[in-house]
Amino acid sequence: MIICLLLSIAVIANAQSTTEKKQAWKPVAFAILRFNDEAPKSWNIYHGEKRGVLLVRLWKRYMLIDVKEQEVYDVDPEKVKAQGDNVEWSPADVPDQPVETSEWKIRDVGPVERVRFRFGKNGGLLDIQLPLLPNGKPAY
């Protein structure tokens, strides 16, 4: 009986800790996304607490983009939950291996920071423009 009680307490504590690990990701206002030099019909860019780490929705695909490390990870769309304009997702769900990317270019082009990279060596080109404040810091 005591073992069952302890086991159920452990299960409840584990469920609460996984819920607490989820993080709210908010949309980046005034961001621009282009895929192969065209605007996709369905996309959004979200930011979390850490600067330079973005959660990008491109059609039904979610990707975690670490701009500083120049890495992209595919995110399981089943683990991303919409909460109004925001989404909820746990950074603990990041896959072990990043997606193969090449041709990274990160530039400050006036009022925006431009992040551009290619999937694989000959794959699609993703171009993200993130708004900057007048002092040059990200607006998100």
Side-chain angles (χ1 to χ4, degrees), residues 2 28 31-32 39 50 54 61 79 83 91 95 100 108 121 124 136:
I2 293 174
V28 177
I32 298 171
K50 188 176 177 186
L54 304 167
R61 181 181 187 182
K79 296 185 178 183
Q83 302 285 330
E100 183 183 350
D108 179 354
K121 293 184 180 174

Side-chain angles (χ1 to χ4, degrees), residues 36 100 102-103 118-125:
N36 289 334
E100 183 183 350
S102 62
E103 300 179 31
R118 185 175 297 281
F119 291 99
K121 293 184 180 174
N122 299 319
L125 189 66

Side-chain angles (χ1 to χ4, degrees), residues 119-132:
F119 291 99
K121 293 184 180 174
N122 299 319
L125 189 66
L126 189 68
D127 185 353
I128 301 171
Q129 296 178 26
L130 303 166
L132 295 175

Side-chain angles (χ1 to χ4, degrees), residues 25 46-55 64-68 140:
W25 294 74
Y46 303 94
H47 68 91
E49 297 169 1
K50 188 176 177 186
R51 298 266 186 237
V53 178
L54 304 167
L55 187 62
L64 181 71
I65 299 176
D66 188 337
V67 176
K68 292 179 185 175
Y140 60 92

Side-chain angles (χ1 to χ4, degrees), residues 9-77:
I9 290 172
V11 169
I12 292 169
N14 188 29
Q16 288 175 343
S17 68
T18 45
T19 306
E20 292 171 354
K21 292 179 186 175
K22 290 205 175 197
Q23 181 179 17
W25 294 74
K26 299 177 181 175
V28 177
F30 306 111
I32 298 171
L33 186 135
R34 296 180 66 76
F35 185 73
N36 289 334
D37 292 325
E38 293 183 13
K41 292 185 188 240
S42 178
W43 65 274
N44 209 338
I45 301 174
Y46 303 94
H47 68 91
E49 297 169 1
K50 188 176 177 186
R51 298 266 186 237
V53 178
L54 304 167
L55 187 62
V56 175
R57 181 181 58 81
L58 181 61
W59 297 294
K60 293 182 180 182
R61 181 181 187 182
Y62 281 91
M63 297 168 280
L64 181 71
I65 299 176
D66 188 337
V67 176
K68 292 179 185 175
E69 297 296 324
Q70 297 184 354
E71 293 179 331
V72 177
Y73 296 89
D74 268 326
V75 172
D76 182 2

